[in-house]
Amino acid sequence: MGRGDGRHSRRRAREDAPGAGPGAGGRVLTPRGDRLIGFYGDDYTGSSAVMEVLGFAGVPTVLFLEPPDEAALARFADCRAVGIAGIARSQTPAWMDANLPGIFDTLARIGAPVTHYKVCSTFDSAPQIGSIGRAIELGVPRLGGAWHPLLVAAPALGRYQAFGNLFAVAGGAVHRLDRHPTMSRHPVTPMDEADLRRHLARQIAAPMGLVDLVALQGGRADAALAACLDAGERIVSLDAIDEATIAEAGRLIWDHRGERLFAIGSQGVEYALVAHWRRIGLLEPEAEPASAPPVKRIAVVSASCAPVTAAQIAQARRDGFTTFAVDAAAAADPALWARELDRAERDGLAALREGRSVVLHTAEGPDDPAIIRTRAAIAAAGEPAETIHARIGAGLGRLLGRLAAQSGLTRGVIAGGDTSGHAAQALGIGALTALAPLAPGAPLCRLHGSARAGGLAEIVLKGGQMGGPDFFQTVLRGGHAATGEIRRQDA
């Protein structure tokens, strides 16, 4: 396609928007082709979620899976938002030191007024893995700004921040993050602190401020921000619990962006900006979302341990998908892992050739005994754990490409935030554009320059906690409402 996601979106950023003067910091919306926002996602699923928010709001967006050169940017010249997907969430500070400066320099050259370091909406991070603090230290000198908003709340996703504390929905209930049934016992970055400033203080020594709900709801957000800056607090956390407060947070970011601004947060940053842009007329009102044609079969590869993904696997099985366990413990030995992938390929291909969709998974939920076996195998191996985790993700990506190449599949799913990065890299994907919304945070995407994807044209990068129980059926349907014809898996 080569022109971003333009032909799939029914809305466009308005070029001569009324009220774009003083209400937008004395600047009009930039001419077509100029950038509005650049972003780096610290995992691939989160990166595609940012693309989803912007693309389906009418801001043409491209997501590169490697830092783009000038020729790559020229191929997507109409895209007002440019993103780079990454794997920093699962990496050490040393990895960040070696890799993030070049990426941030690329984003600086793109020249958008706002650059966003996208983190998970549950703030997955620790001093030794996925350090958001270290990313800020590396980003600020290159991407600048008088202050750095920290906006993690995303009410549309069931993520809320009140008086600096983050809350997230799980199982239909709202939990403070340090009491969340998944995040409080995350295997790599468990959250034992819901106050994001206190959590981040373990990773970076910097004064941090807060613009709280009282200020946001009472028209005192600007004064609260000024007080933070007067106190030397350059990282400023923003509360948000609903559409009104997320839009006010967006106004604060946009009105105080200066010449350039480096922001940190979830896709709540984009939700906030879009809400504000709509309020001041920079974007058309929300319209009916796009959809994609249904397909007869899909393949899913998953290394997610989340209960949400486990429920989706179980529902897929009830809906006629064939599901297979993949022994991730074998990845501690490259030869054993190669044989395990060959076996999974044979099983998956047999089901696909019979007309059935397949799910190939390393675990079904956080209590699956397979997780204990995998951890033990990794602990006994003579390699760093992150090397083996990367091997698992890359292997699943190659498995998906091989299944597509031999069965004619055109649509696939990679489930698991950390997994998706390594898997997508193994597929050789150059860039993604948003095709159709499926569930918040997990859009259907079109592949560009997919060197080893085996003919896949469309893919979903799904975080472990994203989507409803019938999400894989939604992927099969392309976002259309369920019908008896589409739900039935033909043999």
Side-chain angles (χ1 to χ4, degrees):
M1 185 168 61
R3 304 298 289 177
D5 61 347
R7 71 186 180 95
H8 301 296
S9 177
R10 303 181 185 182
R11 302 172 298 282
R12 288 290 174 270
R14 296 167 69 175
E15 307 308 322
D16 53 350
R27 297 168 63 184
V28 299
L29 191 66
T30 52
R32 179 172 294 279
D34 286 357
R35 313 300 185 184
L36 285 175
I37 187 168
F39 62 93
Y40 171 84
D42 71 353
D43 74 355
Y44 278 42
T45 58
S47 303
S48 69
V50 172
M51 177 176 60
E52 170 195 41
V53 175
L54 293 168
F56 298 132
V59 182
T61 304
V62 60
L63 176 64
F64 292 100
L65 275 65
E66 296 288 344
D69 57 19
E70 291 304 317
L73 289 169
R75 289 195 293 273
F76 295 89
D78 284 353
C79 287
R80 313 297 300 280
V82 176
I84 302 171
I87 57 173
R89 192 180 95 176
S90 60
Q91 301 300 317
T92 65
W95 182 95
M96 293 181 173
D97 291 346
N99 290 274
L100 288 185
I103 293 169
F104 290 156
D105 287 342
T106 297
L107 288 169
R109 288 194 295 272
I110 289 170
V114 176
T115 300
H116 173 202
Y117 184 81
K118 196 277 177 192
V119 304
C120 184
S121 62
T122 48
F123 215 62
D124 301 39
S125 59
Q128 72 279 8
I129 291 290
S131 173
I132 297 168
R134 185 57 186 151
I136 294 172
E137 290 173 331
L138 294 169
V140 166
R142 294 167 172 83
L143 297 165
W147 67 296
H148 309 293
L150 175 65
L151 179 56
V152 182
L157 301 178
R159 308 290 189 263
Y160 311 99
Q161 184 174 307
F163 302 102
N165 288 274
L166 189 62
F167 297 77
V169 170
V174 178
H175 304 267
R176 201 174 72 187
L177 203 59
D178 56 347
R179 298 176 182 174
H180 189 277
T182 301
M183 292 312 303
S184 64
R185 56 186 185 133
H186 190 283
V188 180
T189 53
M191 293 296 292
D192 60 2
E193 176 58 71
D195 187 323
L196 298 189
R197 291 172 297 166
R198 294 176 68 92
H199 181 80
L200 190 57
R202 300 169 179 172
Q203 305 170 23
I204 182 173
M208 299 180 215
L210 172 67
V211 178
D212 65 21
L213 289 175
V214 175
L216 288 161
Q217 294 173 331
R220 298 193 296 276
D222 299 275
L225 174 60
C228 290
L229 298 182
D230 287 345
E233 298 162 343
R234 294 295 181 262
I235 301 171
V236 181
S237 186
L238 306 180
D239 280 353
I241 59 169
D242 55 19
E243 181 66 19
T245 47
I246 200 77
E248 178 65 358
R251 182 199 66 79
L252 198 68
I253 293 171
W254 191 244
D255 281 5
H256 294 275
R257 67 194 184 276
E259 289 301 314
R260 61 177 186 167
L261 183 68
F262 179 46
I264 306 97
S266 72
Q267 59 266 53
V269 171
E270 284 70 28
Y271 277 119
L273 288 171
V274 164
H276 176 62
W277 289 339
R278 284 197 175 119
R279 284 190 173 190
I280 63 174
L282 299 186
L283 289 176
E284 299 287 354
E286 191 170 3
E288 189 70 21
S291 58
V295 294
K296 292 183 177 180
R297 303 164 301 154
I298 63 169
V300 180
V301 294
S302 171
S304 170
C305 302
V308 170
T309 303
Q312 292 163 346
I313 294 170
Q315 184 62 50
R317 192 181 295 122
R318 290 190 290 270
D319 286 339
F321 284 56
T322 301
T323 64
F324 300 99
V326 179
D327 184 9
D333 182 321
L336 288 178
W337 182 231
R339 289 198 290 272
E340 175 63 6
L341 291 175
D342 287 343
R343 181 203 60 78
E345 179 184 347
R346 290 192 298 272
D347 290 346
L349 191 58
L352 288 166
R353 285 174 172 167
E354 292 174 358
R356 289 174 283 158
S357 293
V358 299
V359 181
L360 301 109
H361 57 85
T362 61
E364 289 193 66
D367 299 318
D368 191 327
I371 297 174
I372 298 175
R373 292 196 304 272
T374 301
R375 288 177 180 168
I378 291 174
E383 293 182 284
E386 56 267 24
T387 299
I388 300 174
H389 287 303
R391 185 179 297 142
I392 292 170
L396 291 178
R398 290 193 299 273
L399 175 60
L400 180 60
R402 284 153 54 179
L403 291 173
Q406 296 180 74
S407 67
L409 279 180
T410 59
R411 185 175 297 172
V413 180
I414 304 170
D418 296 336
T419 308
S420 292
H422 299 294
Q425 287 179 340
L427 287 171
I429 301 170
L432 299 172
T433 50
L435 182 58
L438 302 174
L444 180 63
C445 302
R446 181 178 296 279
L447 279 68
H448 301 271
S450 46
R452 298 180 293 277
L456 280 178
E458 300 163 2
I459 199 163
V460 179
L461 307 179
K462 190 199 86 71
Q465 300 182 68
M466 298 302 177
D470 67 342
F471 180 77
F472 297 141
Q473 275 285 354
T474 303
V475 176
L476 194 69
R477 300 191 302 264
H480 294 273
T483 67
E485 179 64 26
I486 294 173
R487 288 189 68 86
R488 186 169 59 251
Q489 286 287 291
D490 297 323

